[in-house]
Amino acid sequence: MDLPDNTMTDTNRAQNVCHACMLRKKACDKTLPACGFCASRRLLCRYDILAPKSEGRRIHNPGRHFVRLQSQSVSPQAKTVTRQPPSRASQQDHTPIHQSNLYVLPRSVEESLNQLVQHFTKLTKLTCDNIIDLYFQDFHKWLPVVSPDSFRREASRYREEGRLPPADFTVLLLAMLLIILPGLDPSLRPPRASQEFLYTTTKLALSQAQASICTSLRLVQAALLIALREYTCIRPDAAYISMMTCAGLARVVGIGITGVRTTRDVQNISDYRSEGMERVQNISDYRSEGMERDNLIWAIAMLERLILCEIDQKDLQPQTEYSSHDCQLPSDLKPTVGLDSKPGPILQALNQVTSSSLDAADTDQFGRQAQSVSLLDRLLFVMRLTASNKETKLAELAELDREIRRFLEVAMGELEWTQTPICVFVALCVRLLFLLHGSVLDTLQYPKSETDHQKRDISGIGLDMVCRMTLDVVLWLREGKSPIVPICCFYNLRAARKHMQERNKLVIDEALSRDVDNLLHAEETYCKTWVF
C-alpha cells in the first residue's frame, strides 16, 4: 500500500492515533494497517492523513470520529489508511470476541423487553420468581387486579417451553418490580436514581408494547400499577394522565362498567366471552380472567377518584362510571386450589353481596375498598355543589358523615386490632372524613348563625378524631411492625399535620407540638422510602 510521506514516521507505524482510540481517549499503538485495539475487535481502523497547514479556518468535519462496527469497502478516492480484509486463516486464528463486549440489537419487542428485565433483575439482585412472590405477598392487597394463580401458571409455562414471554407479560412484570421496590430492605433497595430510571423505563416499555400489540388485559393491568405507583409517589398529576391511558386501553379491550356482574346474571358466565377469551383452555383460566376483569373495572374507577381528590384542578370530573348498587362486589383474588371444581364458599358469599350492602358481614377487603370509594364518589359529587346550594350541600355532607361512620364501625369489627393500622379501606375512610369535614369548614368559612358555628365545631371534633387515628398508625409503623402502608397514607399524614399545625397556632400545647413533630417525621420517612 502506497502512502504519502507525511502520513507515517516509518513503514509500520502511523503518525497519528486512529479514530477509535481517539474517541475512547486511550493510547494507540499506531500499527499499520490496523492498530491492536481495532484488530482484536475486528473494527475498521482509520488514520487521518496530515494535510499541509493553511492559514484559513479548519474545515468542520463532525463525523470524522465515527467508527463503523463492520468492515465495508472503501472508495479509491478516500484518503485514509485501512486494513485489508483478513484471510480465512487469520480469521480462524483470531482472538474470539467476548459476548459482553458487543451490544446485540434485539430482533423483536419481546427480546428488547426481556433485556430490560434481565438488567433490572441484576441491578436489584432479584429473580423473576422473587418479584412475583413479593408482589403477591405484600402489595397485591392494595389493588388485587392480577390473579396469582393464572400469572404463576403463565410464567411457568413460558419457562417450561423455553420461550420468551410476550411483551405485555414482561411489561406487567416490570410494573410489579416498580411497585415492590419501596418495600425491600433498605440494604437491598436500589438508590433513588435507579428507581427513577426503572419508572421511566417501565413507562417507555408500556408505550413500546402498546405500539406492537395495541392493547391486552396484561397491558391494562400494567398501566394501572404504573398509575398506582405515581399516586403513592406523590405525583397525582402524572397518575391522572396514566389513569386516562389505562381507561382507554381498558375500553378497547372490552373492559367496562357494563361488564360487572350483578345479582341477576352472576351465574351467566357467557358475559365474559369477549376479545381474547378464545385463548382460555380450561375453566380455571376462564374464571380467573373473569375475576381479573371484574376487579379491573372496580380498580380503575376507584383509583381515578382517589387521584382526583389530590390534584389541584378541582373541577375535573371522573371519566369512568362507577358501579350501580346491584353490582357484585370484587374479590381479593387470593391463591386458591381446585378452581376446576365448583366455586368455593368465598365465591358463593360474594354472589350475595353488592356495593349497596354496607352492613353486610364477611365481605372481602377489596369489596370493602369498593364500598368506601362508592361513598367517595358521592362525596365528590356533593363537594362540587355550588354555594347557591349551601344548605343542600351541608345536609348531604352530614348524611354522608353518618354513613361513613356506620360503615367504618361495621368494617372494623371484622378486623383484628393488628390489621387495622395497615388496612386499606380503613385508611380510605379516614381520607373520606378528612375531605368531608374539610369541605364543611370551607363551606362555612364565614359562619352567619349559631347553627353554622355549631357545625364548624362538630367538623373540628371530627378532624381531631381522624388525626388521632392517623397518629396511631404513625406509632404503629414507627415500631417497624409492617413495611407496607396503605396507598393513601401520605395524604392522610399531610392532612393531619396541616390540621394540627393550625390548632397549634391557636393553642400552644406541648403535647400538640409533639404530635406535629411525629407527623412531620412520618412524612419525611415516607418520602425517603416511597418517593424517588
Side-chain angles (χ1 to χ4, degrees):
M1 179 180 294
D2 295 331
L3 296 171
D5 294 338
N6 57 354
T7 303
M8 64 188 89
T9 58
D10 55 61
T11 57
N12 296 323
R13 289 174 57 83
Q15 185 172 349
N16 300 320
V17 299
C18 71
H19 290 185
C21 295
M22 183 184 300
L23 185 62
R24 67 191 186 96
K25 297 181 179 179
K26 298 293 183 181
C28 177
D29 59 11
K30 303 180 184 179
T31 304
L32 293 176
C35 72
F37 175 84
C38 294
S40 64
R41 288 160 178 77
R42 299 182 185 178
L43 299 177
L44 176 62
C45 188
R46 305 180 62 181
Y47 294 95
D48 277 349
I49 296 178
L50 294 178
K53 294 184 178 180
S54 60
E55 297 181 358
R57 297 182 60 184
R58 184 174 62 180
I59 300 176
H60 178 61
N61 182 14
R64 63 191 292 266
H65 299 307
F66 290 177
V67 179
R68 293 184 178 89
L69 294 180
Q70 295 180 355
S71 300
Q72 297 181 1
S73 60
V74 183
S75 62
Q77 291 81 9
K79 297 183 178 180
T80 57
V81 177
T82 61
R83 69 179 180 91
Q84 297 296 330
S87 62
R88 184 177 300 273
S90 62
Q91 288 180 349
Q92 294 176 354
D93 297 336
H94 208 282
T95 304
I97 303 175
H98 195 275
Q99 189 174 1
S100 62
N101 292 334
L102 295 178
Y103 175 74
V104 181
L105 292 177
R107 292 173 295 179
S108 64
V109 176
E110 287 76 13
E111 290 184 1
S112 175
L113 296 178
N114 185 62
Q115 287 184 3
L116 291 178
V117 171
Q118 292 179 357
H119 170 75
F120 285 110
T121 51
K122 291 179 181 178
L123 179 65
T124 57
K125 299 179 181 179
L126 296 173
T127 64
C128 293
D129 289 336
N130 294 147
I131 297 172
I132 296 173
D133 292 340
L134 288 173
Y135 174 80
F136 287 117
Q137 178 182 348
D138 296 322
F139 298 89
H140 177 64
K141 66 186 69 173
W142 278 357
L143 290 177
V145 295
V146 183
S147 170
D149 297 324
S150 64
F151 193 81
R152 285 193 171 102
R153 282 197 298 267
E154 193 173 350
S156 299
R157 184 168 65 251
Y158 298 139
R159 187 184 303 109
E160 293 171 358
E161 295 175 358
R163 61 187 179 95
L164 292 177
D168 53 352
F169 182 90
T170 307
V171 174
L172 180 55
L173 189 63
L174 285 172
M176 288 180 174
L177 177 59
L178 184 65
I179 289 287
I180 70 171
L181 281 185
L184 296 178
D185 186 87
S187 60
L188 301 176
R189 192 184 307 150
R192 289 191 178 186
S194 298
Q195 297 187 46
E196 177 78 26
F197 179 59
L198 173 60
Y199 162 69
T200 306
T201 303
T202 305
K203 296 198 72 170
L204 291 175
L206 176 66
S207 302
Q208 188 178 5
Q210 182 186 351
S212 175
I213 62 176
C214 187
T215 185
S216 68
L217 179 65
R218 295 303 186 203
L219 282 186
V220 177
Q221 294 166 335
L224 183 72
L225 294 186
I226 292 174
L228 175 62
R229 186 66 184 94
E230 290 169 333
Y231 175 76
T232 58
C233 194
I234 324 177
R235 300 184 182 185
D237 293 335
Y240 181 76
I241 296 173
S242 297
M243 272 311 308
M244 294 301 97
T245 301
C246 177
L249 293 173
R251 291 191 187 97
V252 174
V253 84
I255 298 176
I257 198 64
T258 56
V260 177
R261 287 176 287 184
T262 64
T263 55
R264 296 186 300 273
D265 58 6
V266 68
Q267 299 298 331
N268 186 11
I269 60 175
S270 62
D271 290 343
Y272 294 99
R273 295 191 179 278
S274 57
E275 180 182 356
M277 289 302 293
E278 63 273 6
R279 301 191 309 270
V280 180
Q281 300 178 359
N282 53 59
I283 192 64
S284 175
D285 292 336
Y286 183 73
R287 288 175 182 166
S288 295
E289 183 164 344
M291 296 172 69
E292 283 180 325
R293 286 172 172 263
D294 273 356
N295 283 22
L296 266 175
I297 295 169
W298 287 94
I300 291 173
M302 290 164 60
L303 188 55
E304 182 194 6
R305 282 152 179 80
L306 290 175
I307 294 171
L308 285 176
C309 297
E310 315 305 338
I311 60 179
D312 295 332
Q313 193 171 350
K314 300 301 181 182
D315 57 343
L316 290 177
Q317 298 186 10
Q319 299 299 309
T320 55
E321 181 184 356
Y322 210 69
S323 62
S324 59
H325 293 296
D326 62 341
C327 284
Q328 175 196 353
L329 286 177
S331 66
D332 286 345
L333 280 181
K334 297 179 180 178
T336 55
V337 180
L339 284 175
D340 291 336
S341 59
K342 296 180 180 180
I346 296 179
L347 291 179
Q348 293 176 359
L350 285 175
N351 294 343
Q352 303 171 3
V353 181
T354 62
S355 57
S356 59
S357 306
L358 298 180
D359 298 333
D362 299 327
T363 303
D364 278 4
Q365 291 197 21
F366 191 47
R368 291 301 188 193
Q369 294 181 43
Q371 290 177 324
S372 62
V373 178
S374 68
L375 296 172
L376 174 61
D377 189 53
R378 291 173 52 191
L379 176 60
L380 290 176
F381 174 78
V382 174
M383 290 173 61
R384 288 193 295 268
L385 294 177
T386 59
S388 58
N389 299 323
K390 175 181 174 180
E391 297 301 327
T392 303
K393 181 176 181 179
L394 291 174
E396 291 286 343
L397 290 174
E399 177 64 25
L400 270 174
D401 183 37
R402 289 190 290 270
E403 290 191 32
I404 294 171
R405 290 171 183 268
R406 186 176 69 251
F407 167 71
L408 194 57
E409 180 181 357
V410 173
M412 290 182 65
E414 303 172 355
L415 300 173
E416 297 180 3
W417 184 85
T418 55
Q419 296 177 320
T420 304
I422 58 175
C423 183
V424 177
F425 69 80
V426 173
L428 293 178
C429 289
V430 171
R431 190 78 193 107
L432 276 170
L433 293 174
F434 271 123
L435 294 170
L436 187 148
H437 292 297
S439 179
V440 172
L441 294 179
D442 291 341
T443 305
L444 297 175
Q445 188 174 4
Y446 304 104
K448 298 180 180 179
S449 63
E450 185 66 26
T451 303
D452 292 347
H453 283 284
Q454 292 177 356
K455 292 179 179 179
R456 283 183 58 88
D457 293 340
I458 293 174
S459 290
I461 295 173
L463 287 175
D464 291 341
M465 179 195 70
V466 289
C467 285
R468 179 53 53 189
M469 295 178 66
T470 305
L471 280 168
D472 291 340
V473 176
V474 170
L475 297 177
W476 171 272
L477 296 177
R478 178 177 293 182
E479 296 177 1
K481 296 183 178 180
S482 175
I484 313 302
V485 296
I487 54 178
C488 58
C489 178
F490 173 81
Y491 303 99
N492 289 340
L493 291 173
R494 183 173 60 184
R497 186 253 307 165
K498 288 183 178 180
H499 173 69
M500 301 192 80
Q501 282 179 336
E502 291 296 327
R503 280 197 56 196
N504 201 24
K505 292 179 182 178
L506 301 175
V507 179
I508 304 300
D509 183 80
E510 183 178 352
L512 192 60
S513 300
R514 187 166 55 253
D515 291 339
V516 172
D517 292 338
N518 289 333
L519 290 170
L520 284 172
H521 181 267
E523 284 188 58
E524 294 175 358
T525 303
Y526 181 95
C527 292
K528 290 179 181 179
T529 305
W530 296 89
V531 180
F532 47 77

Short mmCIF file of all heavy atoms in Angstrom, two decimals, residues 110 114 117-118 128-129 132 146-147 149-173 176 213 216-219 221 276 279-281 285 289 292:
data_model
loop_
_atom_site.label_atom_id
_atom_site.label_comp_id
_atom_site.label_asym_id
_atom_site.label_seq_id
_atom_site.Cartn_x
_atom_site.Cartn_y
_atom_site.Cartn_z
N GLU A 110 -40.18 -8.43 22.08
CA GLU A 110 -40.05 -9.36 23.21
C GLU A 110 -38.60 -9.45 23.68
O GLU A 110 -38.32 -9.45 24.88
CB GLU A 110 -40.56 -10.75 22.81
CG GLU A 110 -42.07 -10.87 22.69
CD GLU A 110 -42.59 -10.24 21.40
OE1 GLU A 110 -41.76 -9.95 20.51
OE2 GLU A 110 -43.81 -10.05 21.28
N ASN A 114 -37.18 -8.22 27.25
CA ASN A 114 -36.53 -9.25 28.07
C ASN A 114 -35.14 -8.79 28.52
O ASN A 114 -34.71 -9.08 29.65
CB ASN A 114 -36.42 -10.55 27.28
CG ASN A 114 -35.87 -11.69 28.12
OD1 ASN A 114 -36.47 -12.09 29.12
ND2 ASN A 114 -34.72 -12.22 27.72
N VAL A 117 -35.67 -6.58 31.54
CA VAL A 117 -35.93 -7.35 32.75
C VAL A 117 -34.64 -7.94 33.30
O VAL A 117 -34.39 -7.90 34.51
CB VAL A 117 -36.96 -8.47 32.46
CG1 VAL A 117 -37.08 -9.41 33.65
CG2 VAL A 117 -38.32 -7.86 32.13
N GLN A 118 -33.80 -8.49 32.44
CA GLN A 118 -32.52 -9.05 32.89
C GLN A 118 -31.64 -7.98 33.53
O GLN A 118 -30.97 -8.23 34.54
CB GLN A 118 -31.81 -9.71 31.72
CG GLN A 118 -32.48 -10.96 31.19
CD GLN A 118 -31.73 -11.56 30.01
OE1 GLN A 118 -30.74 -11.00 29.54
NE2 GLN A 118 -32.22 -12.69 29.52
N CYS A 128 -37.05 -13.34 38.76
CA CYS A 128 -38.45 -13.11 38.37
C CYS A 128 -39.40 -13.74 39.37
O CYS A 128 -40.45 -13.17 39.70
CB CYS A 128 -38.70 -13.65 36.97
SG CYS A 128 -37.82 -12.75 35.66
N ASP A 129 -39.05 -14.91 39.89
CA ASP A 129 -39.89 -15.55 40.90
C ASP A 129 -39.92 -14.73 42.18
O ASP A 129 -40.97 -14.65 42.86
CB ASP A 129 -39.38 -16.97 41.19
CG ASP A 129 -39.62 -17.92 40.03
OD1 ASP A 129 -40.55 -17.66 39.23
OD2 ASP A 129 -38.90 -18.92 39.92
N ILE A 132 -42.40 -11.88 41.67
CA ILE A 132 -43.79 -12.34 41.71
C ILE A 132 -44.21 -12.65 43.14
O ILE A 132 -45.30 -12.26 43.59
CB ILE A 132 -43.95 -13.58 40.79
CG1 ILE A 132 -43.69 -13.19 39.33
CG2 ILE A 132 -45.35 -14.17 40.93
CD1 ILE A 132 -43.66 -14.37 38.39
N VAL A 146 -54.58 -8.74 39.54
CA VAL A 146 -53.88 -9.82 38.85
C VAL A 146 -54.10 -11.10 39.63
O VAL A 146 -53.85 -11.15 40.84
CB VAL A 146 -52.36 -9.54 38.73
CG1 VAL A 146 -51.68 -10.64 37.92
CG2 VAL A 146 -52.12 -8.18 38.08
N SER A 147 -54.57 -12.13 38.95
CA SER A 147 -54.79 -13.41 39.61
C SER A 147 -53.45 -14.09 39.89
O SER A 147 -52.68 -14.35 38.96
CB SER A 147 -55.66 -14.31 38.73
OG SER A 147 -55.70 -15.62 39.24
N ASP A 149 -52.85 -17.15 40.70
CA ASP A 149 -52.80 -18.49 40.09
C ASP A 149 -52.51 -18.41 38.59
O ASP A 149 -51.61 -19.09 38.08
CB ASP A 149 -54.12 -19.22 40.33
CG ASP A 149 -54.37 -19.46 41.81
OD1 ASP A 149 -53.39 -19.71 42.53
OD2 ASP A 149 -55.53 -19.38 42.24
N SER A 150 -53.26 -17.59 37.88
CA SER A 150 -53.08 -17.52 36.42
C SER A 150 -51.74 -16.93 36.05
O SER A 150 -51.09 -17.38 35.09
CB SER A 150 -54.22 -16.70 35.79
OG SER A 150 -54.16 -15.35 36.25
N PHE A 151 -51.25 -15.94 36.82
CA PHE A 151 -49.98 -15.31 36.48
C PHE A 151 -48.83 -16.29 36.70
O PHE A 151 -47.91 -16.37 35.88
CB PHE A 151 -49.78 -14.05 37.32
CG PHE A 151 -48.66 -13.18 36.85
CD1 PHE A 151 -48.84 -12.30 35.79
CD2 PHE A 151 -47.40 -13.24 37.43
CE1 PHE A 151 -47.80 -11.49 35.34
CE2 PHE A 151 -46.36 -12.45 36.99
CZ PHE A 151 -46.57 -11.57 35.93
N ARG A 152 -48.87 -17.03 37.80
CA ARG A 152 -47.80 -18.00 38.05
C ARG A 152 -47.85 -19.14 37.03
O ARG A 152 -46.79 -19.62 36.60
CB ARG A 152 -47.93 -18.55 39.47
CG ARG A 152 -47.48 -17.57 40.56
CD ARG A 152 -47.33 -18.30 41.89
NE ARG A 152 -46.70 -17.46 42.90
CZ ARG A 152 -47.35 -16.84 43.88
NH1 ARG A 152 -48.66 -16.97 43.97
NH2 ARG A 152 -46.72 -16.10 44.77
N ARG A 153 -49.05 -19.59 36.67
CA ARG A 153 -49.13 -20.63 35.65
C ARG A 153 -48.57 -20.15 34.32
O ARG A 153 -47.88 -20.89 33.61
CB ARG A 153 -50.59 -21.07 35.48
CG ARG A 153 -51.11 -22.01 36.55
CD ARG A 153 -52.37 -22.69 36.10
NE ARG A 153 -53.44 -21.75 35.85
CZ ARG A 153 -54.36 -21.39 36.74
NH1 ARG A 153 -54.33 -21.90 37.97
NH2 ARG A 153 -55.30 -20.52 36.44
N GLU A 154 -48.86 -18.91 33.99
CA GLU A 154 -48.36 -18.35 32.73
C GLU A 154 -46.85 -18.25 32.75
O GLU A 154 -46.17 -18.60 31.77
CB GLU A 154 -48.99 -16.98 32.49
CG GLU A 154 -48.80 -16.44 31.10
CD GLU A 154 -49.58 -15.16 30.86
OE1 GLU A 154 -50.41 -14.80 31.72
OE2 GLU A 154 -49.35 -14.53 29.82
N ALA A 155 -46.28 -17.79 33.86
CA ALA A 155 -44.82 -17.70 33.97
C ALA A 155 -44.17 -19.09 33.89
O ALA A 155 -43.14 -19.25 33.23
CB ALA A 155 -44.44 -17.01 35.28
N SER A 156 -44.77 -20.08 34.54
CA SER A 156 -44.22 -21.44 34.49
C SER A 156 -44.29 -22.02 33.08
O SER A 156 -43.38 -22.72 32.65
CB SER A 156 -44.99 -22.34 35.46
OG SER A 156 -44.87 -21.87 36.79
N ARG A 157 -45.35 -21.70 32.36
CA ARG A 157 -45.49 -22.23 31.00
C ARG A 157 -44.40 -21.69 30.10
O ARG A 157 -43.81 -22.43 29.31
CB ARG A 157 -46.87 -21.88 30.46
CG ARG A 157 -47.14 -22.47 29.08
CD ARG A 157 -48.60 -22.37 28.71
NE ARG A 157 -49.05 -20.99 28.56
CZ ARG A 157 -49.88 -20.38 29.41
NH1 ARG A 157 -50.32 -21.03 30.48
NH2 ARG A 157 -50.26 -19.14 29.21
N TYR A 158 -44.10 -20.41 30.19
CA TYR A 158 -43.04 -19.82 29.35
C TYR A 158 -41.68 -20.42 29.72
O TYR A 158 -40.85 -20.66 28.84
CB TYR A 158 -43.00 -18.31 29.51
CG TYR A 158 -44.28 -17.62 29.08
CD1 TYR A 158 -44.81 -16.56 29.83
CD2 TYR A 158 -44.97 -18.03 27.95
CE1 TYR A 158 -45.97 -15.93 29.45
CE2 TYR A 158 -46.14 -17.40 27.57
CZ TYR A 158 -46.64 -16.35 28.33
OH TYR A 158 -47.79 -15.75 27.95
N ARG A 159 -41.47 -20.67 31.01
CA ARG A 159 -40.19 -21.23 31.45
C ARG A 159 -40.04 -22.68 30.96
O ARG A 159 -38.97 -23.08 30.49
CB ARG A 159 -40.09 -21.17 32.97
CG ARG A 159 -38.72 -21.57 33.51
CD ARG A 159 -38.70 -21.59 35.01
NE ARG A 159 -39.08 -20.31 35.60
CZ ARG A 159 -40.22 -20.09 36.24
NH1 ARG A 159 -41.11 -21.05 36.37
NH2 ARG A 159 -40.47 -18.91 36.76
N GLU A 160 -41.10 -23.46 31.06
CA GLU A 160 -41.03 -24.85 30.64
C GLU A 160 -40.87 -24.99 29.13
O GLU A 160 -40.17 -25.88 28.64
CB GLU A 160 -42.28 -25.59 31.11
CG GLU A 160 -42.37 -25.74 32.62
CD GLU A 160 -43.72 -26.28 33.06
OE1 GLU A 160 -44.58 -26.50 32.15
OE2 GLU A 160 -43.93 -26.47 34.27
N GLU A 161 -41.51 -24.10 28.39
CA GLU A 161 -41.43 -24.15 26.93
C GLU A 161 -40.15 -23.51 26.40
O GLU A 161 -39.85 -23.63 25.21
CB GLU A 161 -42.64 -23.45 26.30
CG GLU A 161 -43.96 -24.16 26.61
CD GLU A 161 -45.16 -23.38 26.08
OE1 GLU A 161 -44.94 -22.28 25.51
OE2 GLU A 161 -46.30 -23.86 26.23
N GLY A 162 -39.40 -22.83 27.27
CA GLY A 162 -38.14 -22.23 26.85
C GLY A 162 -38.28 -21.11 25.86
O GLY A 162 -37.40 -20.90 25.02
N ARG A 163 -39.35 -20.34 25.95
CA ARG A 163 -39.54 -19.22 25.02
C ARG A 163 -39.73 -17.93 25.80
O ARG A 163 -40.08 -17.93 26.99
CB ARG A 163 -40.74 -19.46 24.12
CG ARG A 163 -42.09 -19.61 24.83
CD ARG A 163 -43.17 -20.02 23.85
NE ARG A 163 -44.46 -20.20 24.49
CZ ARG A 163 -45.40 -19.25 24.55
NH1 ARG A 163 -45.15 -18.04 24.04
NH2 ARG A 163 -46.56 -19.49 25.14
N LEU A 164 -39.49 -16.83 25.11
CA LEU A 164 -39.62 -15.53 25.75
C LEU A 164 -41.09 -15.21 26.00
O LEU A 164 -41.95 -15.52 25.18
CB LEU A 164 -39.00 -14.44 24.86
CG LEU A 164 -37.49 -14.48 24.67
CD1 LEU A 164 -37.06 -13.38 23.70
CD2 LEU A 164 -36.77 -14.31 26.00
N PRO A 165 -41.40 -14.58 27.13
CA PRO A 165 -42.78 -14.17 27.38
C PRO A 165 -43.19 -13.08 26.39
O PRO A 165 -42.35 -12.35 25.86
CB PRO A 165 -42.74 -13.62 28.81
CG PRO A 165 -41.46 -14.12 29.39
CD PRO A 165 -40.51 -14.28 28.27
N PRO A 166 -44.48 -12.94 26.12
CA PRO A 166 -44.93 -11.85 25.25
C PRO A 166 -44.67 -10.50 25.89
O PRO A 166 -44.39 -10.38 27.09
CB PRO A 166 -46.43 -12.13 25.09
CG PRO A 166 -46.80 -12.99 26.24
CD PRO A 166 -45.60 -13.79 26.57
N ALA A 167 -44.78 -9.46 25.08
CA ALA A 167 -44.42 -8.12 25.54
C ALA A 167 -45.29 -7.65 26.69
O ALA A 167 -44.80 -7.04 27.64
CB ALA A 167 -44.51 -7.14 24.36
N ASP A 168 -46.60 -7.93 26.64
CA ASP A 168 -47.48 -7.42 27.69
C ASP A 168 -47.19 -8.09 29.04
O ASP A 168 -47.25 -7.43 30.09
CB ASP A 168 -48.94 -7.62 27.30
CG ASP A 168 -49.26 -9.05 26.91
OD1 ASP A 168 -48.32 -9.86 26.81
OD2 ASP A 168 -50.45 -9.36 26.70
N PHE A 169 -46.84 -9.37 29.03
CA PHE A 169 -46.48 -10.06 30.26
C PHE A 169 -45.21 -9.46 30.87
O PHE A 169 -45.12 -9.24 32.08
CB PHE A 169 -46.29 -11.55 29.98
CG PHE A 169 -45.97 -12.38 31.20
CD1 PHE A 169 -46.98 -12.96 31.94
CD2 PHE A 169 -44.65 -12.58 31.60
CE1 PHE A 169 -46.68 -13.72 33.07
CE2 PHE A 169 -44.35 -13.34 32.72
CZ PHE A 169 -45.38 -13.91 33.45
N THR A 170 -44.22 -9.17 30.04
CA THR A 170 -42.96 -8.61 30.53
C THR A 170 -43.15 -7.20 31.09
O THR A 170 -42.56 -6.85 32.11
CB THR A 170 -41.92 -8.58 29.39
OG1 THR A 170 -41.82 -9.88 28.81
CG2 THR A 170 -40.56 -8.17 29.90
N VAL A 171 -43.99 -6.39 30.44
CA VAL A 171 -44.26 -5.04 30.95
C VAL A 171 -44.95 -5.11 32.31
O VAL A 171 -44.64 -4.34 33.22
CB VAL A 171 -45.12 -4.25 29.94
CG1 VAL A 171 -45.53 -2.91 30.52
CG2 VAL A 171 -44.35 -4.04 28.65
N LEU A 172 -45.88 -6.05 32.46
CA LEU A 172 -46.53 -6.22 33.76
C LEU A 172 -45.53 -6.64 34.83
O LEU A 172 -45.61 -6.20 35.98
CB LEU A 172 -47.66 -7.25 33.64
CG LEU A 172 -48.46 -7.54 34.93
CD1 LEU A 172 -49.02 -6.27 35.52
CD2 LEU A 172 -49.57 -8.54 34.64
N LEU A 173 -44.57 -7.48 34.48
CA LEU A 173 -43.53 -7.89 35.43
C LEU A 173 -42.68 -6.68 35.85
O LEU A 173 -42.33 -6.53 37.02
CB LEU A 173 -42.66 -8.97 34.82
CG LEU A 173 -41.65 -9.67 35.75
CD1 LEU A 173 -42.38 -10.40 36.87
CD2 LEU A 173 -40.78 -10.63 34.97
N MET A 176 -44.69 -4.66 38.29
CA MET A 176 -44.66 -5.28 39.62
C MET A 176 -43.36 -4.95 40.35
O MET A 176 -43.37 -4.66 41.55
CB MET A 176 -44.80 -6.80 39.48
CG MET A 176 -46.18 -7.28 39.10
SD MET A 176 -46.22 -9.09 38.98
CE MET A 176 -47.97 -9.36 38.71
N ILE A 213 -48.63 -4.38 20.12
CA ILE A 213 -49.83 -5.23 20.19
C ILE A 213 -51.10 -4.45 20.49
O ILE A 213 -52.14 -5.05 20.73
CB ILE A 213 -49.64 -6.32 21.26
CG1 ILE A 213 -49.45 -5.68 22.65
CG2 ILE A 213 -48.47 -7.21 20.93
CD1 ILE A 213 -49.36 -6.71 23.77
N SER A 216 -54.11 -5.18 25.62
CA SER A 216 -54.41 -6.52 26.12
C SER A 216 -54.75 -6.38 27.60
O SER A 216 -54.60 -5.31 28.21
CB SER A 216 -53.23 -7.48 25.94
OG SER A 216 -52.15 -7.11 26.78
N LEU A 217 -55.21 -7.48 28.19
CA LEU A 217 -55.53 -7.47 29.62
C LEU A 217 -54.29 -7.17 30.45
O LEU A 217 -54.35 -6.39 31.41
CB LEU A 217 -56.12 -8.82 30.01
CG LEU A 217 -56.48 -9.00 31.49
CD1 LEU A 217 -57.61 -8.06 31.88
CD2 LEU A 217 -56.87 -10.45 31.78
N ARG A 218 -53.15 -7.76 30.09
CA ARG A 218 -51.92 -7.53 30.84
C ARG A 218 -51.45 -6.07 30.74
O ARG A 218 -50.92 -5.51 31.69
CB ARG A 218 -50.81 -8.46 30.35
CG ARG A 218 -51.07 -9.95 30.57
CD ARG A 218 -51.30 -10.27 32.01
NE ARG A 218 -51.40 -11.70 32.30
CZ ARG A 218 -52.01 -12.20 33.34
NH1 ARG A 218 -52.61 -11.39 34.21
NH2 ARG A 218 -52.06 -13.51 33.54
N LEU A 219 -51.61 -5.44 29.59
CA LEU A 219 -51.21 -4.04 29.44
C LEU A 219 -52.10 -3.14 30.29
O LEU A 219 -51.62 -2.14 30.86
CB LEU A 219 -51.27 -3.63 27.97
CG LEU A 219 -50.13 -4.08 27.07
CD1 LEU A 219 -50.26 -3.45 25.69
CD2 LEU A 219 -48.78 -3.73 27.67
N GLN A 221 -53.50 -3.99 33.11
CA GLN A 221 -53.02 -4.20 34.48
C GLN A 221 -51.72 -3.45 34.73
O GLN A 221 -51.54 -2.83 35.79
CB GLN A 221 -52.84 -5.70 34.74
CG GLN A 221 -54.14 -6.49 34.72
CD GLN A 221 -53.91 -7.98 34.64
OE1 GLN A 221 -52.88 -8.44 34.14
NE2 GLN A 221 -54.87 -8.77 35.11
N GLY A 276 -60.23 -12.07 23.01
CA GLY A 276 -59.10 -12.75 23.61
C GLY A 276 -59.47 -13.94 24.46
O GLY A 276 -58.60 -14.71 24.86
N ARG A 279 -58.39 -17.79 23.96
CA ARG A 279 -57.12 -18.35 24.39
C ARG A 279 -57.26 -19.20 25.64
O ARG A 279 -56.38 -19.98 25.98
CB ARG A 279 -56.11 -17.23 24.65
CG ARG A 279 -55.83 -16.34 23.46
CD ARG A 279 -54.64 -15.45 23.75
NE ARG A 279 -54.78 -14.76 25.01
CZ ARG A 279 -55.34 -13.57 25.13
NH1 ARG A 279 -55.83 -12.97 24.07
NH2 ARG A 279 -55.42 -12.98 26.30
N VAL A 280 -58.34 -19.00 26.37
CA VAL A 280 -58.51 -19.73 27.61
C VAL A 280 -58.83 -21.19 27.30
O VAL A 280 -59.74 -21.47 26.54
CB VAL A 280 -59.63 -19.10 28.46
CG1 VAL A 280 -59.80 -19.87 29.75
CG2 VAL A 280 -59.31 -17.65 28.72
N GLN A 281 -58.09 -22.11 27.89
CA GLN A 281 -58.22 -23.51 27.55
C GLN A 281 -58.91 -24.33 28.62
O GLN A 281 -59.27 -25.47 28.38
CB GLN A 281 -56.83 -24.10 27.28
CG GLN A 281 -56.11 -23.43 26.13
CD GLN A 281 -54.72 -24.00 25.91
OE1 GLN A 281 -54.28 -24.88 26.63
NE2 GLN A 281 -54.04 -23.49 24.90
N ASP A 285 -58.57 -21.05 34.09
CA ASP A 285 -58.14 -19.79 33.49
C ASP A 285 -59.34 -18.92 33.16
O ASP A 285 -59.28 -17.69 33.24
CB ASP A 285 -57.33 -20.06 32.23
CG ASP A 285 -55.99 -20.71 32.54
OD1 ASP A 285 -55.51 -20.53 33.67
OD2 ASP A 285 -55.44 -21.39 31.66
N GLU A 289 -59.64 -15.12 34.63
CA GLU A 289 -59.68 -13.92 33.80
C GLU A 289 -60.98 -13.15 34.02
O GLU A 289 -60.99 -11.91 34.00
CB GLU A 289 -59.55 -14.29 32.32
CG GLU A 289 -59.51 -13.07 31.41
CD GLU A 289 -59.00 -13.39 30.03
OE1 GLU A 289 -58.40 -14.46 29.84
OE2 GLU A 289 -59.20 -12.56 29.14
N GLU A 292 -60.44 -11.25 37.18
CA GLU A 292 -59.49 -10.17 36.92
C GLU A 292 -60.18 -8.99 36.24
O GLU A 292 -59.95 -7.83 36.59
CB GLU A 292 -58.34 -10.67 36.06
CG GLU A 292 -57.31 -11.51 36.80
CD GLU A 292 -56.20 -11.98 35.89
OE1 GLU A 292 -56.48 -12.27 34.71
OE2 GLU A 292 -55.06 -12.07 36.34
#
